[in-house]
Amino acid sequence: NEFVFMGSYGNTLRGIGLLVEYFCKNTDHTFHIIGPMEDDVMKAIQQIITPNIIIHGFLDIDGIELHNILKRCNFLIYPSGSEGCPGSVLNLMKKGMIPIVTRWAAFDEIIEYGYLLKSINYEAIQDAVLWTLGLKKNRIVEMKKKAAKYVNEKFTLATFSNELNVF
């Protein structure tokens, strides 16, 4: 019942307010926020934050602290309204997290590896969390391995380089 969000500046466009609202009301789930946050966003959420929401700030992608957090989580949640598939989603999938994302933060095959949010609202987050609770442990393990394998094979420097050479 632990979820992770990793992002950088521009958190309001990435749905951090919605996630804080959801997890403040659903304190039986732990929510980890990784990455820098604007001062005004931090000030706003600190006034309402509950003990189940842990703000870690910037962490080294290959560091032991992030590794220890991810050992406790199965799902990354990223209800962004902008971007295209962000590096944070790919990096966390590479480390075995199952993505819960909007179409703006996804690649075409996302539903084969995780959950595509139907909207950017409270109910969509709730539906996604309920979906995670309905998964059996062996299915979660299978999905984590599948997500990591896909990203480790498809999103590499070699494949990126090959795609650039086509042009």
Side-chain angles (χ1 to χ4, degrees), residues 7-72:
S8 61
Y9 294 109
N11 291 308
T12 53
L13 294 175
R14 294 176 176 96
I16 197 70
L18 176 61
L19 293 172
V20 168
E21 176 189 0
Y22 179 82
F23 288 104
C24 280
K25 294 177 182 174
N26 294 276
T27 57
D28 50 332
H29 305 294
T30 301
F31 178 51
H32 299 273
I33 302 172
I34 299 168
M37 203 170 301
E38 292 89 349
D39 291 340
D40 58 335
V41 174
M42 183 65 90
K43 185 177 178 181
I45 67 172
Q46 280 182 329
Q47 296 174 15
I48 61 167
I49 206 160
T50 50
N52 62 310
I53 299 173
I54 305 163
I55 301 172
H56 299 277
F58 175 82
L59 297 177
D60 181 346
I61 192 71
D62 293 317
I64 191 72
E65 191 175 353
L66 179 61
H67 174 77
N68 288 336
I69 293 165
L70 297 183
K71 282 193 322 188
R72 297 191 313 262

Side-chain angles (χ1 to χ4, degrees), residues 82-100:
S82 65
E83 299 189 60
C85 190
S88 62
V89 169
L90 297 175
N91 279 315
L92 290 178
M93 285 179 68
K94 201 175 263 200
K95 295 187 177 293
M97 295 296 99
I98 299 167
I100 298 171

Side-chain angles (χ1 to χ4, degrees), residues 138-153:
N138 63 335
R139 178 71 176 135
I140 291 171
V141 170
E142 175 187 304
M143 290 180 78
K144 287 171 69 85
K145 289 178 183 175
K146 188 176 177 181
K149 183 177 189 276
Y150 176 77
V151 172
N152 280 306
E153 289 176 356

